[in-house]
Amino acid sequence: MATFEIVLPDESPCDECGDAVPAGVYTCASCGANAFRLNFPEFYSHFERLKMMDARYGGLVLGRSDPADDVPMYICRDGGVYTLVGLMQGGEYIMSRAASTKHGSRLVDINSINGEATGIQFPLSSMSSVINTNFMPPYGGIWITEGQFIVNRYATKIHFEELEQLNSEANLELASQLFNEAEQDANDS
């Protein structure tokens, strides 16, 4: 009988300089960059205990608006290593990769708007995509993918409904494309 085995790498490349950083070390010896990461079992344990939330399809991030309590963002790298790549705050909107690719220039325009983001209230609907970090245990984070775009809090406040629409439409187009490809593969078999 076949057995399932997880093979974990002993090291992973630094996001800054590319040099190998051994597992269990959180600062790159070559450049001094932060190299905090989780291996697959650690990540899955965090995900299972709701200490990690899936933000790969985008949405409004709620909670954690204090800069001292930013939300860590993790990306899966080769070999099942999840690397800390940045921080974001509640009130910001993270776009899916599909929406970021399709509407990149519009998102740059929207994100160029700056101002004070006080008294934020969003017209949420049943179609809203929300990543609520309010109930996440301390040191929890979100799982993202390469190519996602983060819109600042003030621009999110001003353009929330448009961001929802752009993100939703791009995700639906991607889902439709993937379904059609799977259907074509099934017909070819």
Side-chain angles (χ1 to χ4, degrees):
M1 171 163 46
T3 60
F4 177 74
E5 181 181 352
I6 298 174
V7 179
L8 301 173
D10 295 331
E11 56 189 30
S12 62
C14 171
D15 280 344
E16 295 295 322
C17 70
D19 285 356
V21 179
V25 174
Y26 300 123
T27 304
C28 177
S30 299
C31 70
N34 177 15
F36 185 80
R37 61 228 187 272
L38 301 169
N39 62 34
F40 178 78
E42 291 169 327
F43 178 83
Y44 185 77
S45 173
H46 280 54
F47 198 71
E48 190 175 51
R49 293 179 304 170
L50 301 177
K51 206 170 177 180
M52 191 70 61
M53 299 180 81
D54 191 347
R56 294 174 298 157
Y57 301 102
L60 174 67
V61 175
L62 292 180
R64 296 189 177 195
S65 58
D66 182 353
D69 196 19
D70 289 341
V71 180
M73 299 180 296
Y74 292 87
I75 289 180
C76 183
R77 300 288 190 211
D78 293 336
V81 174
Y82 294 79
T83 305
L84 176 65
V85 294
L87 303 167
M88 68 180 298
Q89 292 186 338
E92 293 180 321
Y93 199 102
I94 185 165
M95 303 297 288
S96 68
R97 179 170 47 187
S100 300
T101 301
K102 183 173 183 180
H103 303 291
S105 60
R106 177 64 184 138
L107 295 174
V108 169
D109 289 342
I110 289 172
N111 201 47
S112 68
I113 300 169
N114 291 305
E116 186 63 34
T118 57
I120 299 175
Q121 292 188 359
F122 299 100
L124 299 177
S125 72
S126 61
M127 297 301 290
S128 295
S129 178
V130 176
I131 302 152
N132 189 349
T133 65
N134 283 312
F135 304 109
M136 186 183 293
Y139 308 109
I142 59 174
W143 178 15
I144 66 170
T145 191
E146 297 284 350
Q148 287 186 261
F149 190 97
I150 299 171
V151 179
N152 74 63
R153 295 168 72 199
Y154 184 73
T156 296
K157 176 181 175 180
I158 303 299
H159 293 281
F160 176 71
E161 291 172 351
E162 181 180 0
L163 294 171
E164 284 278 284
Q165 181 179 359
L166 295 175
N167 198 60
S168 176
E169 287 174 359
N171 286 342
L172 286 172
E173 286 176 18
L174 177 61
S176 177
Q177 176 189 345
L178 294 173
F179 176 79
N180 291 335
E181 289 173 4
E183 192 173 57
Q184 183 63 42
D185 288 346
N187 290 336
D188 291 345
S189 298

